[in-house]
Amino acid sequence: MAVMDFIGGEILYFNKPIDWTSFDIVNAFRYKLTRKLNVKKIKVGHAGTLDPKATGVMIVCTGKATKRMEEFQHQTKEYVATLKLGETTPSFDSEKEVDHTYPIAHITIDKVKETLSSFVGEIRQIPPVYSACKIDGQRAYTLARRGEEATLKEKTLVIDEIELLEYELPVIKIRVVCSKGTYIRALARDIGASLASGAHLIALERTRIGDVTIDKCISPEQIDGFLDRIQ
């Protein structure tokens, strides 16, 4: 059996399922961990939020290791994103219904590759209105869901790599390696605009944070088995 000190601090890797929030993962693990340790509470947090419709790598820290969360948030991340061209949604993903449609007949694979390459390097990006960014102390998504206008400022970030994995209009699949603070939903929006069309995410998987890859992660269904193997 593995010996782990969750109060002293442990770092765990989870594969977040679709329609779970990042808090759902933390909450589920914290609940089962407190029962395993027979304690009333223990500090548990995650290093980097994933949208409910996204899946993939999440780093969860316990006890004193929660002080390292910011360190992990600054590490390079890799995503595999599936975009549907010719349609936009208010949330830039499938969480909201399609609000506008655009032509795609002019789009070619060469044009897509050329457009993707234009995003490599340092870029400026406006975060999505449906995001956890704060405006005057309130989350942007809170204002958006109340129908209030939310204006977000551009942020500077770095796209290290973009690779076209699949091309079958109206759908393309891309691999993105990027810095902290990158919203892949916003990148999808901007790619669509650069193609003189529209785009939104229909699938998103975070495949890596730093050196942590999917194969090193456990699913929420494996929490009980994982805790049974420790002492």
Side-chain angles (χ1 to χ4, degrees), residues 91-163:
S91 58
F92 310 151
D93 64 8
S94 58
E95 188 175 350
K96 297 291 180 182
E97 295 294 322
V98 171
D99 57 358
H100 294 100
T101 58
Y102 301 86
I104 61 169
H106 63 285
I107 297 174
T108 65
I109 189 169
D110 288 338
K111 182 63 177 174
V112 169
K113 288 180 177 179
E114 179 186 346
T115 298
L116 294 179
S117 67
S118 72
F119 285 91
V120 176
E122 187 174 280
I123 66 168
R124 302 281 290 173
Q125 183 184 83
I126 300 174
V129 172
Y130 286 88
S131 70
C133 291
K134 286 190 174 181
I135 301 173
D136 296 328
Q138 294 193 71
R139 299 291 186 187
Y141 60 70
T142 302
L143 298 174
R145 285 166 184 159
R146 289 205 302 251
E148 298 179 23
E149 189 171 335
T151 303
L152 292 163
K153 295 180 180 178
E154 278 190 334
K155 293 184 176 182
T156 300
L157 49 91
V158 177
I159 305 293
D160 296 308
E161 300 175 44
I162 298 186
E163 177 186 5

Side-chain angles (χ1 to χ4, degrees), residues 79-85 112 116 162-176 201-205:
Y79 297 87
V80 171
T82 306
L83 284 63
K84 186 172 184 182
L85 305 178
V112 169
L116 294 179
I162 298 186
E163 177 186 5
L164 180 63
L165 301 177
E166 295 178 18
Y167 173 87
E168 191 171 344
L169 289 184
V171 174
I172 63 171
K173 182 180 284 189
I174 62 175
R175 182 182 68 88
V176 182
L201 285 181
I202 56 173
L204 178 65
E205 180 181 40

Side-chain angles (χ1 to χ4, degrees), residues 69-90:
M69 290 193 299
E70 188 173 349
E71 168 193 332
F72 294 118
Q73 288 172 350
H74 280 85
Q75 292 184 348
T76 298
K77 299 173 180 66
E78 179 185 73
Y79 297 87
V80 171
T82 306
L83 284 63
K84 186 172 184 182
L85 305 178
E87 295 179 350
T88 59
T89 73

